[in-house]
Amino acid sequence: MDKFVIKGGVRLNGEVTVSGAKNAVVAILPAIILSDGVCSISNVPQISDVNICIQILEHLGAKVSKLDDKYIIDATKIFKYEVPYELANRMRASYYFLGALLGKYKVAKVPRPGGCHLGDRPIDQHLHAFNVLGAHCDLVPGGDIYCKADRLVGSTIDFDLVSVGSTINAILASVRAEGTTIIENPAKEPHIVDLANFLNSMGANITGAGTDRIKVKGVSKLNGVDYSIIPDQIEAGTYMVAAAATKGDVLIKNVIPAHLEPMTLKLRNMGVHVEEFDDSVRVWVDSDTQLKSVDIKTRPYPGFPTDMQPQFAVLCTLANGDSNVTEGIWDNRFRYVDELRRMGADIKVTVKTASIKGNSKLLGAPVQACDLRAGAALILAGLVATGETSISEIQHIERGYERMDEKLRSLGANIVKKNS
Ligand code: EPZ
């Protein structure tokens, strides 16, 4: 298995370009099933979750061609409605094929999804949304979820809690339903808005995405369209933290600064300079600056994103003082802490909060990525640690970060990918 090997101590300097958003593209690719025409999608990140989505689409009967970062996809002649386990099990977003197949063909069979191990990850809210629209969903032998509907009729879906995936699946299943669907208590992440914009460009009638109430007026036809995926705000945030942690000076290009607000605010609180331009941000730290400690609590957007929690935890180990990071979304998103302790971090975890001692002198060590963002955090720790850090299980990282080693090397980092 491949690993990243990093020699720490380099201040990052230069420019890096952010790729398309993983959590937008893994919703938009399945949504192409809803179209009656051919779609071309650009700014697609070259990550393994995208490869899996493409393999699933081709398995279902879609025709896919690729030109650089653009995919041309004809899903108008799909003839299968079942997603195979060996593909679905490799990522969380495979369950979006439930909403898309149900929304177009009123039948779908998808294995319970895989993805990062962050604690309990139920799908009751997804199934609630499908049931409200008139679908019957059962867990059938083999661990698959089977959904079928004679008709999908618009109604009010009131979520018990804010859920990105459930909101996306509710939109996918209702966009071609009869009548109007109201989605109460939806998630408001940028990738929800990107999906709605994509579907509306095909001729859907979705209003309120990004607000506390989404209205979906069902339509009977959706045209093919050319569409570009929004930049990945979590990838951008990860490079912002990399610049801050190494006390470097980095221009991060192809971003939407408004999507970075929660991270920008916390970085500025810590004494990091963040200068915003139209589609880029410059992040730098004066060499004599002592980063200030900070308290963080992750919440649904526009709160501080849970997907930036591990990365900021690393930054907090370097601050002058103690910080508290509270995980408000997932039951178990501190599995990376043990790996940071191996590098000299002093962190105590009680249920939902990590109490992080500052002024740590991180030391290089062999560590293991346990999920996507935890792996990215270990890379950040390796960039600042004294000595060599080797990170194994990097397939987790490559699910959501395009060419992260190359991008960091272009900023001066001493990082290579080795086959272990
Ligand atoms: C999406 O996961 C993201 N994944 C996650 O990013 C992200 O951490 C999460 O949203 C929160 O922002 C993708 O978009 C592919 P949720 P999702 O439904 O949709 C509970 C990354 O690193 N819940 O918003 O699975 C759930 O247990 C990944 O890019 C239910 O109880 O998250 C959690 O506590 C990791 N029942 C909370 O809601 C349900 O039916 C939020 O989960 C669904 C969710």
Side-chain angles (χ1 to χ4, degrees), residues 136-154:
H136 298 282
C137 298
D138 299 297
L139 183 64
V140 295
D144 294 343
I145 300 155
Y146 179 69
C147 291
K148 188 157 176 45
D150 297 331
R151 294 170 62 203
L152 291 173
V153 180

Side-chain angles (χ1 to χ4, degrees), residues 60-80:
L60 299 174
K63 299 281 178 275
V64 180
S65 58
K66 181 175 182 294
L67 188 66
D68 300 328
D69 73 353
K70 178 183 280 193
Y71 285 84
I72 294 97
I73 300 172
D74 178 357
T76 57
K77 297 182 183 59
I78 278 192
F79 53 87
K80 284 185 196 167

Side-chain angles (χ1 to χ4, degrees), residues 22-23 95 121-125 163-165 307 329-330 373:
K22 164 181 99 78
N23 291 344
Y95 55 22
R121 295 187 82 171
I123 58 169
D124 57 301
Q125 302 294 303
S163 161
V164 168
D307 296 342
I329 305 287
W330 298 108
R373 309 302 174 183

Side-chain angles (χ1 to χ4, degrees), residues 306-378:
T306 174
D307 296 342
M308 282 301 305
Q309 182 256 89
Q311 301 92 312
F312 265 80
V314 171
L315 195 58
C316 290
T317 68
L318 310 173
N320 183 26
D322 299 347
S323 303
N324 291 301
V325 174
T326 300
E327 174 53 52
I329 305 287
W330 298 108
D331 296 339
N332 181 11
R333 195 167 203 166
F334 291 118
R335 291 170 60 219
Y336 63 90
V337 167
D338 266 343
E339 298 304 294
L340 287 184
R341 288 183 182 126
R342 291 167 48 73
M343 299 177 73
D346 182 350
I347 303 175
K348 285 181 182 47
V349 175
T350 53
V351 188
K352 289 262 190 182
T353 297
S355 301
I356 302 169
K357 283 269 179 240
N359 300 304
S360 300
K361 297 278 177 271
L362 297 181
L363 305 171
V367 290
Q368 186 172 316
C370 59
D371 68 58
L372 169 56
R373 309 302 174 183
L378 292 174

Side-chain angles (χ1 to χ4, degrees), residues 1-6 46 389 391 394-395 397-398 401-406 409 414-420:
M1 299 290 271
D2 289 341
K3 62 183 178 181
F4 287 137
V5 178
I6 304 167
Q46 304 310 302
T389 299
I391 300 167
I394 62 170
Q395 69 279 5
I397 302 169
E398 295 182 321
Y401 287 92
E402 179 181 328
R403 298 179 294 109
M404 190 168 183
D405 53 330
E406 286 177 37
R409 265 199 306 277
N414 185 334
I415 176 173
V416 292
K417 187 194 287 192
K418 285 186 176 172
N419 194 307
S420 56

Side-chain angles (χ1 to χ4, degrees), residues 217-297:
K217 285 186 181 164
V219 297
S220 56
K221 182 168 173 41
L222 290 171
N223 307 308
V225 69
D226 295 348
Y227 194 78
S228 182
I229 302 292
I230 55 167
D232 193 314
Q233 82 273 21
I234 304 301
E235 184 191 14
T238 303
Y239 286 108
M240 293 170 83
V241 173
T246 59
K247 291 200 171 181
D249 185 342
V250 177
L251 181 69
I252 300 160
K253 303 193 296 185
N254 186 36
V255 301
I256 299 172
H259 292 169
L260 309 178
E261 275 312 303
M263 289 79 86
T264 299
L265 184 67
K266 288 299 176 186
L267 287 172
R268 285 175 175 159
N269 290 350
M270 297 180 82
V272 177
H273 296 288
V274 180
E275 187 173 359
E276 295 174 331
F277 304 95
D278 288 347
D279 61 356
S280 60
V281 289
R282 180 188 168 208
V283 179
W284 79 96
V285 178
D286 298 326
S287 53
D288 58 353
T289 295
Q290 270 278 342
L291 295 178
K292 300 186 187 79
S293 61
V294 73
D295 288 342
I296 289 170
K297 179 170 172 37

